């Protein structure tokens, strides 16, 4: 793990900066106002900065339990961190320009930003899928309940990535066929599923880590983690059903 430590520090610092950026834009919203929902709002740089920052910190920490080579892990984390910065940067740039960040093909510049965000989303999928596959190929390390928490977190995360890809694909089709306004609104049904699924990889391993400091037996800790996984799966299933019904 020694070769990965500088990378971990860099990723943690980058994640904190992204979280700070999100909080700053919450302050901007409080001062400037405007709509909270819709394709143009201060909500996007706030939520994306917070979400990407927390996810980067979580992935950096959680992958320390995944049995993957130090060099490969370092490279993947660097790519992931850079991609998180690009995604949040593009969304923030467009928020300040007061134009939509995603599915915006109005000008060549807007198209370039939108396509960069889409390609960046693809890179995220590839990197996180590699980590997810590695977690299932070899049992993750860590205290009681951590292997289940890590594997379940990545499994649910893949659901979040799939829902995000579905939103982009549907939006691009509508945009290319001349239904720009419909494209902006087409993502709404999948947003709850997308949001809930993304952070299981932080919540579940964090629970296992906190339980490791409790006086309970390993068996009890595993049961608590398993119960939490079941509850999280139920929440994801509920969001999925709502997405289907509302789509």
């Amino acid at each position: 793990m020694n070769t990965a430590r500088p990378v971990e520090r860099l990723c943690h610092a980058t994640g904190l900066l992204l979280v700070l950026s999100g909080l700053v834009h919450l302050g901007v919203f409080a001062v400037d106002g405007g709509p909270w929902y819709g394709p143009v709002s201060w909500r996007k740089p706030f939520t994306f900065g917070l979400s990407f920052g927390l996810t980067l910190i979580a992935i950096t920490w959680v992958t320390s339990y995944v049995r993957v080579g130090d060099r490969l892990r370092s490279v993947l984390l660097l790519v992931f961190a850079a991609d998180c910065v690009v995604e949040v940067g593009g969304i923030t740039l467009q928020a300040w320009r007061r134009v939509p960040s995603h599915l915006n093909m109005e000008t060549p510049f807007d198209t370039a930003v939108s396509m960069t965000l889409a390609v960046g989303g693809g890179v995220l999928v590839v990197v996180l899928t590699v980590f997810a596959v590695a977690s299932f190929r070899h049992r993750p390390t860590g205290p009681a309940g951590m292997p289940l928490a890590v594997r379940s977190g990545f499994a649910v995360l893949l659901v979040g990535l799939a829902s995000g890809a579905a939103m982009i694909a549907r939006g691009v089709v509508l945009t290319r066929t001349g239904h720009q306004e419909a494209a902006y609104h087409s993502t709404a049904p999948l947003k709850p599923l997308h949001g809930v699924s993304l952070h299981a990889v932080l919540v579940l391993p964090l629970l296992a880590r906190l339980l490791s400091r409790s006086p309970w037996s390993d068996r009890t800790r595993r049961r608590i983690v398993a119960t939490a996984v079941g509850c999280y799966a139920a929440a994801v299933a509920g969001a999925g059903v709502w997405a289907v019904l509302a789509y």
Side-chain angles (χ1 to χ4, degrees):
M1 294 296 294
N2 292 333
T3 58
R5 285 173 185 168
V7 172
E8 290 175 342
R9 290 195 292 269
L10 175 62
C11 289
H12 286 151
T14 303
L16 288 174
L17 287 175
L18 293 178
V19 169
L20 179 60
S21 173
L23 295 176
V24 166
H25 284 90
L26 180 61
V28 172
F29 169 74
V31 174
D32 187 61
W36 181 251
Y37 296 103
V40 182
S41 74
W42 294 118
R43 168 189 58 82
K44 297 190 73 174
F46 162 60
T47 56
F48 277 81
L50 202 64
S51 181
F52 271 91
L54 289 175
T55 301
L56 175 56
I57 293 170
I59 292 298
T60 303
W61 169 58
V62 170
T63 55
S64 66
Y65 297 108
V66 177
R67 296 184 180 180
V68 61
D70 286 346
R71 181 173 297 180
L72 175 60
R73 176 171 174 258
S74 296
V75 171
L76 291 175
L77 287 178
L78 283 175
V79 172
F80 186 63
D83 205 16
C84 287
V85 172
V86 170
E87 292 288 306
V88 175
I91 290 163
T92 302
L93 171 65
Q94 295 298 69
W96 281 97
R97 294 182 66 235
R98 303 298 177 96
V99 296
S101 55
H102 293 84
L103 309 175
N104 183 0
M105 311 293 180
E106 295 296 326
T107 69
F109 182 81
D110 292 329
T111 300
V113 173
S114 181
M115 294 306 297
T116 298
L117 295 177
V119 172
V123 173
L124 293 177
V125 171
V126 172
V127 172
L128 294 175
T129 299
V130 171
F131 280 132
V133 170
S135 73
F136 281 94
R137 286 188 62 190
H138 305 286
R139 181 182 174 83
T141 61
M146 185 61 78
L148 175 61
V150 170
R151 285 174 167 174
S152 300
F154 272 116
V156 176
L157 176 62
L158 292 180
V159 174
L161 295 176
S163 62
M167 286 193 289
I168 293 175
R170 175 64 173 167
V172 168
V173 170
L174 289 172
T175 298
R176 295 297 187 185
T177 54
H179 301 88
Q180 186 68 62
E181 196 63 28
Y184 292 143
H185 296 290
S186 67
T187 61
L190 286 170
K191 284 182 178 179
L193 175 62
H194 184 62
V196 170
S197 303
L198 286 181
H199 298 293
V201 75
L202 169 60
V203 174
L204 297 175
L206 181 59
L207 173 62
R209 181 60 180 173
L210 292 175
L211 288 172
S212 70
R213 301 182 179 183
S214 72
W216 297 324
S217 66
D218 288 354
R219 183 178 181 183
T220 299
R221 295 173 194 169
R222 292 191 187 96
R223 285 182 174 178
I224 293 174
V225 171
T227 300
V229 170
C231 291
Y232 214 108
V236 171
V241 171
W242 188 88
V244 172
L245 295 176
Y247 204 67

